[in-house]
Every structure is written in structure tokens, then in C-alpha cells.
Amino acid sequence: MNTEQLLLTKWQYLDSEKQAQVLDFIDNLNKNNQKDNSILKKYQPKTELGKKLWAIRQEMLKKSDVKLLDLDDIEVEINQMRGK
């Protein structure tokens, strides 16, 4: 069962008040994510290595087929490599 299916399954067992709380929580997460993105837009690396790595990151973000991994994605990838 993937994450979406798991969320939907658990969602179905929540009453309407709890579902509203979940939606509020998600909205809050999105607001925090938008704040994080605005900080990243203002970020200026200080070292030459930092500037090179930042430039590489910006180029990768421009490509539509590239997805940066979050901590959950990294964990899944590590488990796949380890055969778990």
C-alpha cells in the first residue's frame, strides 16, 4: 500500500471534525513550505563550493523530470538499495 492509499484509508475512518483538523494541518504545512521557499530564494552561498553546489541545484530544479528527495524518499531509496 502506497502513502496515498494509506492516507485515504485512514481518512475514511475520521469523523468530519477530525477531517477538518487534518485539512487545517495540511494548510499550515503548505504555509510553512512557502515560507521555506521564500528563504531559499533569498539564500546566497558564501563560499565558492557553496556557489557551485547552489548553481547545480538551481539547474536541477529547472528540469521538469528531476524531483528532489525529501527525508521519506531518501529512506525509501536506501531501503530499496538494501533490498528491504
Side-chain angles (χ1 to χ4, degrees):
M1 181 178 292
N2 68 30
T3 305
E4 281 183 43
Q5 292 168 332
L6 181 61
L7 285 171
L8 287 174
T9 300
K10 290 183 176 191
W11 173 268
Q12 293 170 349
Y13 292 104
L14 296 175
D15 61 37
S16 59
E17 184 179 322
K18 296 287 185 188
Q19 289 178 348
Q21 289 176 351
V22 169
L23 293 175
D24 289 342
F25 177 72
I26 291 170
D27 288 340
N28 191 25
L29 288 176
N30 284 332
K31 288 177 188 173
N32 290 340
N33 192 30
Q34 290 170 353
K35 288 179 188 176
D36 292 345
N37 286 338
S38 67
I39 291 169
L40 288 176
K41 289 178 184 175
K42 295 176 188 176
Y43 175 74
Q44 293 295 316
K46 294 179 176 71
T47 66
E48 286 304 312
L49 176 60
K51 291 175 184 176
K52 289 177 184 177
L53 292 172
W54 190 253
I56 291 169
R57 182 184 192 280
Q58 298 307 312
E59 287 300 315
M60 296 302 290
L61 289 173
K62 289 178 186 175
K63 297 180 180 181
S64 62
D65 61 335
V66 174
K67 178 188 173 232
L68 296 181
L69 302 178
D70 62 16
L71 290 176
D72 292 334
D73 295 330
I74 293 169
E75 185 177 349
V76 167
E77 191 169 297
I78 290 171
N79 287 336
Q80 287 173 347
M81 289 188 304
R82 292 179 177 167
K84 292 183 180 180

